[in-house]
Amino acid sequence: MALAPSGADTAASDVERILGHQFRNQRLLEEALTHRSAAGAGRGSNERLEFVGDRVLGLAVAVWLAEHYPREQEGALGRRLAHLVSQPVLASIAEELGLPALLSVAPGEARAGVRLRASVLADAVEALLGAMFLDGGLEPVQRFVRAKFGVTMLAEAEPPKDAKTALQEWGQARGMGLPVYDIESQAGPSHAPLFVVRVRIGGEVGLGQAGTRRAAEQAAARALLTRLNVS
């Protein structure tokens, strides 16, 4: 397995232990841990698995939430789901699992700190879930989700609101209208972009940055809510 030149079998075993799943197809595991900067020469990146994992994660979390909160309606369940599959939550789980050290990235990107970017870590979690699904079906994904997302889910007694929704409601309650989001800048290579977004509402301004425009908008809204002491 190419994700660790020496001790490759040990590295694979460590990842499988972390995930609670032993892969029948080791190439899926290798691909899930390969950042696009390290792809090439017959080695695929984790983008395709991330695409699958995003959908699988949503399904696994939705089923779990429906079981755990039998009296909540779609809107409340949707807010819980959006929070649990959000970039900050996924990145936090990746850090807890020790994924930054296991990701295969190009040397230049490694020196630039790509392994620590929230967007890259969140993508890696989704890619691993996609790999687990293709290798063993939904059951190992559900086990992982329930084991690793439980603390985050139970920490929210009430369905959480995403930052953009909370800021919009704050502004509307004060007759300010809707927040306006603008891209201040976009930098970095195509495989690791960095968006900086400015949000304006009622004379108040917040800035946020992330690897996607949507995540940067959430970060900007969150920053402004924090400055306004809005919980």
Side-chain angles (χ1 to χ4, degrees):
M1 185 175 175
L3 60 93
S6 61
D9 292 340
T10 300
S13 298
D14 287 345
V15 178
E16 290 174 326
R17 176 180 50 77
I18 289 170
L19 298 177
H21 175 72
Q22 185 172 358
F23 279 81
R24 292 174 292 188
N25 184 350
Q26 290 289 314
R27 289 184 64 85
L28 286 171
L29 178 55
E30 177 182 352
E31 185 175 323
L33 292 171
T34 302
H35 185 256
R36 72 181 89 177
S37 66
R43 186 182 190 188
S45 77
N46 62 11
E47 291 177 310
R48 286 172 57 86
L49 290 175
E50 174 203 341
F51 173 80
V52 175
D54 176 63
R55 277 72 183 171
V56 173
L57 173 61
L59 174 60
V61 172
V63 171
W64 184 32
L65 290 174
E67 293 175 356
H68 198 82
Y69 299 101
R71 297 185 179 181
E72 286 192 355
Q73 298 304 307
E74 178 184 5
L77 292 173
R79 292 197 298 275
R80 290 189 187 276
L81 187 148
H83 173 63
L84 288 172
V85 303
S86 66
Q87 185 181 105
V89 170
L90 293 179
S92 175
I93 288 173
E95 291 175 349
E96 291 175 7
L97 296 176
L99 287 186
L102 299 172
L103 289 177
S104 179
V105 303
E109 299 297 333
R111 289 191 294 271
V114 163
R115 284 193 179 96
L116 299 179
R117 288 187 181 175
S119 59
V120 172
L121 293 176
D123 290 348
V125 171
E126 291 179 338
L128 285 167
L129 293 177
M132 291 168 63
F133 174 75
L134 294 178
D135 190 71
L138 189 59
E139 183 178 348
V141 176
Q142 289 179 315
R143 286 200 306 266
F144 177 86
V145 165
R146 297 179 187 219
K148 303 303 181 182
F149 288 69
V151 172
T152 302
M153 183 185 77
L154 296 175
E156 301 287 347
E158 296 297 325
K161 296 178 183 177
D162 67 83
K164 290 181 66 175
T165 299
L167 182 60
Q168 178 177 318
E169 292 180 354
W170 179 86
Q172 288 177 328
R174 292 159 177 77
M176 296 178 179
L178 297 176
V180 176
Y181 295 87
D182 297 302
I183 297 179
E184 286 285 295
S185 65
Q186 179 180 348
S190 60
H191 62 267
L194 181 64
F195 292 84
V196 177
V197 168
R198 178 187 299 270
V199 60
R200 295 177 288 109
I201 182 170
E204 303 289 349
V205 177
L207 285 175
Q209 63 180 33
T212 67
R213 176 174 180 170
R214 179 180 299 180
E217 289 177 349
Q218 290 285 355
R222 194 177 305 112
L224 182 51
L225 289 169
T226 299
R227 189 166 65 78
L228 295 171
N229 293 319
V230 178
S231 59

